[in-house]
Structures are given as C-alpha cells and as structure tokens.
Amino acid sequence: MSDALTRPASAGSAPPKPNAVVAVLALAGIVVSLMQTLVIPIVPELPRLLDAPASDTAWAVTATLLAAAVATPVVGRLGDMFGKRRMLLVSIVLLVSGSVVCALADSLVPMIIGRGLQGLSAAVVPLGISILRDTVPAEKLAGSTAVMSASLGVGGALGLPIAAFIAENWDWHILFWTSAALGVVSFLLVTTFVPESKNRAGGRFDLVGSLGLSAGLVSLLLAVSKGADWGWTSGTTLGLGAAAVVILLAWGWWELKAKQPLVDLRTTAKTQVLFTNLASIALGFSMFAMSLVLPQLLQLPEQTGYGLGESMMTVGLVLAPQGFVMMVMSALSAKVTKAKGPKVTLMIGALIVSGGYALNILLMSEIWHLVLVSCIIGAGVGFTYGALPALIMGAVDPSQTGAANSLNTLMRSLGTSFASAIAGVILAQMTTDFGGHALPSESGFKVVMAIGAGAALVAFLLATFIPKARATAGGQPAGDSPAEPATAGAKA
C-alpha cells in the first residue's frame, strides 16, 4: 500500500531538524556503545563482588555479546516492519532496564540477566543510521551516517576512562546507575526530536527464521568465545561448532524459500552488499586486536621489559583520544565519500588501520607511542565506519535498511569475536616466564598486531571487488535517493 511507504509528515507538523536528529541519534549510539567497556575495569573484581568463580562471572561479558548478536538482526527487521523509531525506543528501554537490574545486583544471576538486557539494545546504531536515511536530506546523508556510525567507536573509547574513574572512586553500582540515567536522557531526547518514519516494509515477522538465526549465532559465538576455557577440541566446543554449521545451513534454506524472510539472502548476495559485509568481518577482526593488545601492554609490569606498569585509569586516558579522532575523521570521510564514493573511503580507512598496526610493531615502548598508534587506527576506523553504512544503503531498498544495516553491524561483531578467540590462543601460546607466572610475550603481541594489519589489508582487497558507482551529493550511488521513500511495492 502506498501510504505505508510515505515520509512522516502530517498537516501542520513541523519538519524534523536534521542537525538535532543527528545529534540525538549519535548520543543514543554513544550511550549504547558505552556498554562495550562499562564492566572492563571491574572484571577482575567480579568474583569477589559477586561471590562467584571467575569462570562464572565471565558470563557477565559473554551474555552481552550473545544478546547483542541475537537482537541486532531481529530488531533491525522489526524496525523495517513496524517503525525504526519505535524499535529504537524499545531498545533504549531494554538498556535502562538492564542497567537498573545490574545496579541492584549483588549476585551473579541478576548481573547476567541485566547484562543480557543491555546487550539487547545493540541495534540502536544500525536503527539510527536507517532513520537518518528516511529523515535527513540527501546532501547531508553521508556526513550524518558517518557521525552516527562513528558513535559506536566513540562510545567504546570514552567508556573505558569514565568507567575506570567511577570504579576507582565510588561503589561499582554507580556504573550502572549512570548508564541508566544516560539511557533515560536518550529516550526523552529521541521522543522529542526524532520523527517516526512511515517507510515500512509491513508483512509478517519471520519467527522461524529469527529463532533459527538466534540458535545458530548463539551456538557459533559460544564455541568461539568459550572455546579457550572449555578446550578447543572438547566435545562441547566441537558440538556447538557443528550445531552452528547445521543450524545456519538449515536457516539459509528456510530464508530462501520464505515469502517474507528475516534476512533477504538474495539481497545480501548482491556484489556490493556481499563484499561490504565480508570487509566488515575483516575490519571487525582487525580493530579488536588494538583493544586487546594496547591495554595489556600498558598494564603489564615494567620489569618485563616491554610492559609499562600503568593503571586501568591510564589505559582509559591513553585510548580516549581515539574517540575524538574517530569523530573528526568521520566528517572528513563524508567529504571523501561525496567526492569519490564510499568504496574509496573504505579502502583508504583500511589502509590507515593497517598502517597503524604496522607502526605499533615498531613503536610500543612509550605511552606516547601507544597514544599515537591508537589515534592512527582510530582515524582509519572513522573512515571505514562512515563508508560501510553508505555502501549498504546504496544497494538496498529503503524499506530494508534496518535489517541490512543491522546485518552489517552483526558482521563486524562476528569479526571481533573471531579476533578475540584467535588472539587469545596466540597470547596463551607465546608466553614468557615472570616470577613463576606465564605472561604474554612481546613477540606474541607483535604477532597479534601483524595479524591485525593483515586483516585490514584483507578488508582493502575485499573492497576492491565492490562495484564503483558515481556518487551523488549525498554520497550515494546515482539513481538511489536515500532521502526519498521507495516506490517499489507501493502499488501492491
């Protein structure tokens, strides 16, 4: 029906202010991405704080990862069907609810429940990007989506020093009361400034597809994230891995035959979408190496000869400038996208990330070395995060942007999970003895950084297969007007 795909405008209503919409959505993205680093400063203390074994308290991190993986594609599809703003608000409510549960928790089970609820809010960033496509003029879309996409990295970078400061000076529950308060502020701002889009796909929700994808992703991520603890050759790890393969193959078969699938696999098989998603996996893999290596180098004892013996607070301050660099570079990436197209922007960003890791192999003995490296990698991330949603939205119908952007975000998360597992194995195998304790060796860190550089180069190579299209003023390929509603299906 044609009225299901029209822009949100009613008689006498004031048009949305693009700058206010962008600012509010970017803030919401930053608040949600804070959940990535919120608990890092207290992870070593969780066994004592929750009176539980370390192997069990690790689920406070794993639960968020699993919930985010399940929620991102499902909520994205629901946003396309029932309203992106509506589902964004639901996601923020889940974040606030999870934060309150964690703030009231003094034992393991409520903490895991709360962290799971926080993870269910992960679709805010891809939903926000999709809302921008429906509400922001075409000439401002490239810059707006770059800023929104960069909020994912900015929140992660700023969250660590803020969380470390709170954890060192106040009761740890304040961490979660703070995130709840930020969530409430975001909710109120979204309800005030962000309009709902009428650009909806409609139809029935693919419940079987959502359950199948969720089961497959949970099996895969459990095998990857817990394999080191359970043993990579253990029956549990291998069984989950095999189950993931079988379930995801069956899910793919179902999606291809479903009339209204959760994920349109035919669309994701388009060259532009396929290679953008593959490049996203490689970039997610590459970018996690920095999050793993730099904090350990900063915190390991100076007596090792390569550690810097700094506190978690210092780690946060060293990584914080990266967030500001990402935001600044997102604006520059938008200009490159307008002039040359998002493919070129993605390739430039991948090369910058790779160069940052290569430099880190040479410079890792001083604090300023690591600040410089994190900022260079952050600059590359700012470029790539701005280009990825532009490439996705340039290849899909406006009624599919929520699901398509969410799937792309999921690809980055999968890359991050694989990087965590592989880097963990390398650092566990390449060790040095320090006072009777095995610590990751300097060579181990350099190998991980070399792999991070290589993964970024893989992303560059994958990007070369993306078709190059002439860019419009909005940074989108000619013939695709992202600010206008789709007409396909309007006559149905």
Side-chain angles (χ1 to χ4, degrees):
M1 293 180 291
S2 59
D3 60 345
L5 296 174
T6 56
R7 291 176 64 87
S10 58
S13 63
K17 298 179 180 179
N19 291 339
V21 173
V22 174
V24 169
L25 290 176
L27 175 63
I30 289 172
V31 170
V32 169
S33 60
L34 287 173
M35 300 308 107
Q36 299 175 1
T37 50
L38 186 68
V39 298
I40 288 179
I42 63 171
V43 164
E45 299 296 319
L46 283 178
R48 177 181 61 83
L49 297 173
L50 301 177
D51 191 25
S55 58
D56 291 340
T57 58
W59 285 98
V61 176
T62 306
T64 309
L65 169 70
L66 298 178
V70 169
T72 301
V74 172
V75 175
R77 175 60 178 158
L78 289 172
D80 285 337
M81 294 176 64
F82 304 116
K84 303 177 184 77
R85 175 180 178 269
R86 177 180 298 172
M87 295 313 301
L88 187 143
L89 289 171
V90 170
S91 298
I92 295 175
V93 169
L94 291 170
L95 183 147
V96 174
S97 302
S99 299
V100 171
V101 170
C102 290
L104 296 173
D106 283 310
S107 59
L108 181 62
V109 172
M111 174 63 80
I112 292 175
I113 293 173
R115 288 290 290 164
L117 288 170
Q118 287 182 325
L120 292 176
S121 68
V124 162
V125 172
L127 283 172
I129 293 170
S130 301
I131 290 171
L132 292 176
R133 185 180 191 181
D134 296 338
T135 58
V136 173
E139 66 273 10
K140 293 186 177 182
L141 183 62
S144 300
T145 55
V147 169
M148 183 67 203
S149 191
S151 69
L152 189 63
V154 172
L158 299 181
L160 189 56
I162 294 172
F165 179 76
I166 292 175
E168 288 183 5
N169 292 279
W170 291 288
D171 180 79
W172 64 275
H173 293 91
I174 299 297
L175 286 171
F176 298 101
W177 286 121
T178 302
S179 65
L182 291 172
V184 170
V185 170
S186 297
F187 182 93
L188 295 175
L189 290 174
V190 169
T191 57
T192 302
F193 293 102
V194 178
E196 180 60 275
S197 170
K198 302 300 181 184
N199 194 9
R200 302 180 188 177
R204 284 185 182 177
F205 179 67
D206 181 11
L207 179 60
V208 174
S210 66
L211 293 175
L213 180 59
S214 299
L217 288 174
V218 169
S219 299
L220 176 63
L221 290 173
L222 273 177
V224 171
S225 62
K226 305 297 286 186
D229 296 330
W230 295 337
W232 292 107
T233 58
S234 70
T236 302
T237 303
L238 294 176
L240 284 170
V245 172
V246 173
I247 293 171
L248 290 175
L249 286 174
W251 170 78
W253 171 81
W254 172 266
E255 293 297 282
L256 287 172
K257 68 184 286 289
K259 291 183 178 179
Q260 295 177 325
L262 176 72
V263 176
D264 188 343
L265 294 181
R266 292 178 177 84
T267 297
T268 60
K270 289 181 179 180
T271 303
Q272 182 160 321
V273 178
L274 175 63
F275 281 97
T276 299
N277 283 333
L278 291 175
S280 297
I281 295 174
L283 285 168
F285 189 103
S286 175
M287 289 181 289
F288 182 78
M290 176 191 59
S291 303
L292 184 69
V293 169
L294 297 192
Q296 291 196 60
L297 284 174
L298 283 162
Q299 290 183 284
L300 284 173
E302 290 184 80
Q303 292 82 354
T304 59
Y306 51 90
L308 299 178
E310 301 293 340
S311 67
M312 178 59 74
M313 185 67 193
T314 302
V315 172
L317 293 175
V318 167
L319 297 180
Q322 180 193 53
F324 295 105
V325 172
M326 282 186 200
M327 194 61 74
V328 172
M329 287 299 105
S330 68
L332 179 58
S333 77
K335 293 182 179 180
V336 175
T337 295
K338 288 180 181 180
K340 300 294 183 180
K343 171 183 176 177
V344 174
T345 308
L346 175 58
M347 294 170 71
I348 292 172
L351 288 178
I352 294 173
V353 171
S354 182
Y357 279 115
L359 185 64
N360 198 185
I361 295 174
L362 302 175
L363 298 178
M364 54 184 292
S365 59
E366 302 286 345
I367 289 181
W368 72 266
H369 291 172
L370 302 186
V371 173
L372 175 63
V373 166
S374 69
C375 287
I376 291 174
I377 295 175
V381 172
F383 268 81
T384 60
Y385 272 16
L388 293 172
L391 286 164
I392 293 296
M393 291 190 295
V396 303
D397 188 274
S399 64
Q400 297 178 329
T401 52
N405 279 320
S406 296
L407 182 63
N408 182 255
T409 301
L410 176 62
M411 294 301 104
R412 280 184 264 175
S413 298
L414 290 177
T416 297
S417 299
F418 294 141
S420 174
I422 293 174
V425 170
I426 292 171
L427 295 180
Q429 295 297 319
M430 301 182 69
T431 61
T432 183
D433 182 75
F434 182 76
H437 298 280
L439 296 179
S441 67
E442 183 178 14
S443 297
F445 287 123
K446 290 184 176 181
V447 168
V448 172
M449 288 183 283
I451 292 175
L457 288 178
V458 169
F460 173 86
L461 292 174
L462 289 168
T464 63
F465 291 95
I466 297 172
K468 185 173 183 178
R470 179 172 57 86
T472 65
Q476 296 293 325
D480 184 1
S481 300
E484 294 301 324
T487 57
K491 296 179 182 179

